[in-house]
Amino acid sequence: MSELFPIYTLRGPKDGPKGLIIAGVHGDEYEPILAVMQLIRTLGARLLCGSLTLVPIANKSAYLAGARVGEDGLDLARTCPGDKAGSITEQVAYQISKRIQASDFMIDMHTGGNLFDILPLSGYMIHSNSKVLETQRSMAAAFNLPVIWGTSPDLQGRTLSIARDAEIPAIYTEFRGGGFRPEGIGRLVAGCEHVLSYFEMLSEGERSAKISLEIEDKEPGSGQLQRMYPAPGAGVFVPQVGLGAEVRRYDPIGEIWDYSGKVTNQVLAEKDGTVFLLRAIPRVEKGEALAGILPNSKLTSNGRD
């Protein structure tokens, strides 16, 4: 079958794991795209074993539009496993899903795109298979971003949903957003290389610990960023806290103003924790996500609170 997106496969001199790294699931998330391009350029003979498939722009239709979704209006991250004979996004979802199912592990890299600013994090779905879960925890730790977030196993339509069902260890990453941040490229490249080192596909490089918060949240729907703190009304969102701020329950985290500057709604924290997501575009419609807060708790050595 003809491919709908660019694919590059690197092979080491010996047998080993089959890895998959994806970027560009959303067309307005540029740092991961450039990070994968850099990996294509630099890994080459450094790969010790196995094979690595790299997809720098999974969703070309969305990329060419500079948008989260493509020409058919579908979100690739909600469309897997797709449809071979469907619309453009459904066809891409079908092909990406087949690639995932043929892999031994996967990394899917994101940012907050145009809409959100997100604390750098590595995430995974909490898996019923303990071996898969432990591998995902290790991959997330190896990627070495400040936040590790294990979330609900019941979400559908995602690349991680396909990996979950195939019992393939998979993580995703988020790195800021709300504008292009070149410093993210190197951080994402380093994170991928650390994960490859974990699988003994690369020599281990230097790594200073950056992880500050580890969370596992099994609540249904956890991990759905677009549903967090839905705006109670339309207007202009003015945050009153910064990304990474520590807040207490009922602290103000933002306001919605009408077009005269009058405060129409105040947005309060629903729990104690760390602000890890903020809307980056002031204009907001009713129901659109405004913020996200993670509780300040860490995993114990056995992975439970």
Side-chain angles (χ1 to χ4, degrees):
M1 72 183 162
S2 61
E3 301 293 355
L4 296 169
F5 42 81
I7 297 171
Y8 301 85
T9 300
L10 307 176
R11 291 182 172 83
K14 300 186 295 183
D15 290 340
K18 293 179 289 184
L20 175 64
I21 301 178
I22 300 171
V25 165
H26 298 125
D28 59 348
E29 300 176 3
Y30 301 106
E31 296 88 337
I33 292 171
L34 288 164
V36 172
M37 290 177 177
Q38 186 166 322
L39 289 168
I40 292 167
R41 292 173 53 198
T42 60
L43 280 179
R46 296 170 56 206
L47 207 61
L48 301 177
C49 66
S51 64
L52 182 64
T53 298
L54 299 129
V55 179
I57 305 175
N59 195 343
K60 286 179 65 178
S61 174
Y63 171 77
L64 292 173
R68 180 179 176 87
V69 300
E71 62 194 52
D72 56 7
L74 296 179
D75 186 338
L76 178 54
R78 304 293 183 271
T79 309
C80 295
D83 182 346
K84 186 177 181 180
S87 69
I88 182 65
T89 303
E90 290 171 324
Q91 292 179 47
V92 171
Y94 176 84
Q95 291 195 11
I96 282 287
S97 297
K98 293 298 181 185
R99 290 280 172 180
I100 295 168
Q101 291 162 345
S103 301
D104 293 324
F105 68 90
M106 180 190 73
I107 303 170
D108 183 0
M109 296 193 291
H110 293 261
T111 76
N114 293 326
L115 280 180
F116 301 110
D117 193 3
I118 304 175
L119 274 181
L121 66 85
S122 300
Y124 55 87
M125 283 188 178
I126 299 171
H127 206 287
S128 58
N129 182 318
S130 59
K131 184 176 180 180
V132 171
L133 179 56
E134 287 303 323
T135 301
Q136 292 181 156
R137 287 171 174 161
S138 296
M139 290 170 65
F143 208 99
N144 201 33
L145 294 177
V147 177
I148 296 176
W149 191 23
T151 57
S152 170
D154 63 359
L155 301 181
Q156 303 297 331
R158 293 149 163 81
T159 57
L160 264 66
S161 310
I162 301 301
R164 173 202 62 205
D165 294 345
E167 298 199 335
I168 293 165
I171 64 171
Y172 73 97
T173 64
E174 301 279 2
F175 195 100
R176 301 298 302 268
F180 179 59
R181 302 176 189 274
E183 70 275 11
I185 300 168
R187 293 280 298 277
L188 295 174
V189 168
C192 288
E193 291 184 345
H194 293 323
V195 174
L196 293 175
S197 296
Y198 165 76
F199 284 105
E200 300 183 343
M201 297 173 69
L202 279 183
S203 298
E204 180 64 78
E206 291 187 13
R207 173 162 49 117
S208 57
K210 297 184 183 299
I211 299 165
S212 58
L213 183 62
E214 300 180 56
I215 303 292
E216 282 195 350
D217 183 357
K218 298 180 181 179
E219 288 297 316
S222 66
Q224 299 200 76
L225 303 184
Q226 284 72 29
R227 296 186 182 182
M228 292 185 164
Y229 286 82
V236 179
F237 176 62
V238 181
Q240 295 177 293
V241 293
L243 200 66
E246 302 293 321
V247 296
R248 304 295 298 272
R249 188 179 185 189
Y250 303 128
D251 282 352
I253 58 176
E255 295 174 339
I256 296 178
W257 297 359
D258 68 13
Y259 300 126
S260 71
K262 177 183 177 182
V263 177
T264 57
N265 297 99
Q266 190 171 49
V267 183
L268 305 179
E270 297 171 358
K271 58 188 173 184
D272 299 354
T274 299
V275 177
F276 83 101
L277 176 146
L278 281 173
R279 186 175 182 84
I281 293 179
R283 183 183 62 80
V284 63
E285 298 295 330
K286 183 177 180 179
E288 293 182 338
L290 301 177
I293 296 173
L294 292 176
N296 293 333
S297 60
K298 290 183 176 291
L299 297 176
T300 62
S301 58
N302 66 3
R304 292 186 293 271
D305 290 338

